[in-house]
């Protein structure tokens, strides 16, 4: 007679929304912070409410960093006559 023993199954507390928010926050640091920053904050807030994971808190932080970066870029562009250029080298 065979017996089945149910082992403890550990579930992950990371949601897809937290991962999506993290991706939006990281990519938003380099491209389109005005769009991806708020998305990271929204995804992080929903994931934080559902799971309470630490990744969701990082999403919110990266979203805020994206928005602050955007404000700084606008301020620099306004101080330079409306242009913002990068000089490499």
């Amino acid at each position: 007679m065979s017996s089945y023993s149910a082992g403890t199954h550990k579930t992950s507390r990371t949601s897809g929304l937290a991962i999506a928010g993290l991706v939006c926050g990281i990519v938003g640091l380099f491209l389109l912070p005005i769009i991806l920053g708020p998305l990271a904050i929204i995804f992080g807030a929903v994931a934080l409410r559902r799971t309470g994971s630490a990744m969701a808190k990082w999403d919110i932080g990266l979203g805020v960093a994206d928005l602050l970066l955007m404000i700084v870029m606008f301020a620099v562009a306004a101080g330079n006559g409306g242009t913002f250029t990068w000089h490499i080298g």
Side-chain angles (χ1 to χ4, degrees), residues 1 10 14 16 18 24-25 29 31-32 36-37 40 47 51 56 60 64 72 77 82 86:
M1 178 173 199
K10 209 171 190 188
T14 303
C24 286
L29 290 173
L31 299 170
L32 299 172
L36 296 176
T51 63
I60 295 170
V64 170
V72 168
W86 292 94

Side-chain angles (χ1 to χ4, degrees), residues 5-71:
S5 65
T8 59
H9 185 94
K10 209 171 190 188
T11 59
S12 175
R13 292 181 50 97
T14 303
S15 69
L17 285 172
I19 294 170
L22 191 65
V23 170
C24 286
I26 292 171
V27 173
L29 290 173
F30 303 104
L31 299 170
L32 299 172
I34 194 167
I35 296 170
L36 296 176
L39 279 177
I41 293 171
I42 292 168
F43 289 154
V46 173
L48 185 63
R49 185 174 301 210
R50 288 186 182 173
T51 63
S53 68
M55 187 182 294
K57 294 176 186 175
W58 277 97
D59 298 344
I60 295 170
L62 281 170
V64 170
D66 288 347
L67 293 177
L68 290 175
L69 178 66
M70 180 190 65
I71 291 170

